[in-house]
Amino acid sequence: MRNPWKPTLWTLAVLAAAGTAWWTADQWLPQVRPWVDKAWSKMNRPGEDSLPPEKKTAQGAAAGTRGAASAPVPQLRKCIQDGRTVYTDEACPPGSQEQKVEGSVTSFPRAQ
């Protein structure tokens, strides 16, 4: 037969622990805060290490390692030819006019 007081005692123990944690939070929270912030950041903005193996790229894996020098940023070029504008990090094709890139450009890789 089950003890009818067991759930009540567990509830009281959990409430007492929560109350004690809240009462003494100013003592332990400064030591825990960096760990909590790091865990929260990792949950909300997962890095390259959280991707499945087939989605990882060699460049992304290298960028995720600590202490590695960052890769040089390629020079962005704006090429205009026959009324079309193409942004590239390579030399503009022959017959096109290269213009200065102003502001920022966001691009997404093509779906394969």
Side-chain angles (χ1 to χ4, degrees):
M1 182 171 225
R2 290 187 161 182
N3 185 349
W5 289 98
K6 198 171 192 176
T8 304
L9 291 175
W10 276 110
T11 303
L12 289 174
V14 168
L15 288 174
T20 303
W22 175 77
W23 189 265
T24 60
D26 58 337
Q27 296 173 4
W28 57 266
L29 197 55
Q31 286 81 24
V32 176
R33 175 75 65 192
W35 180 83
V36 170
D37 290 341
K38 184 177 180 182
W40 183 258
S41 173
K42 194 146 183 102
M43 286 188 305
N44 288 315
R45 297 180 186 266
E48 188 79 22
D49 58 333
S50 66
L51 291 175
E54 64 271 6
K55 297 286 185 179
K56 290 184 182 180
T57 61
Q59 180 182 6
T65 58
R66 295 196 185 272
S70 61
V73 178
Q75 178 64 35
L76 187 63
R77 300 168 192 258
K78 179 179 179 180
C79 306
I80 299 178
Q81 183 178 21
D82 299 330
R84 279 186 13 191
T85 303
V86 177
Y87 292 94
T88 182
D89 60 348
E90 300 172 354
C92 287
S96 64
Q97 179 185 7
E98 185 174 339
Q99 291 188 351
K100 180 180 177 186
V101 178
E102 295 179 9
S104 62
V105 176
T106 303
S107 64
F108 298 98
R110 291 185 183 183
Q112 295 180 6

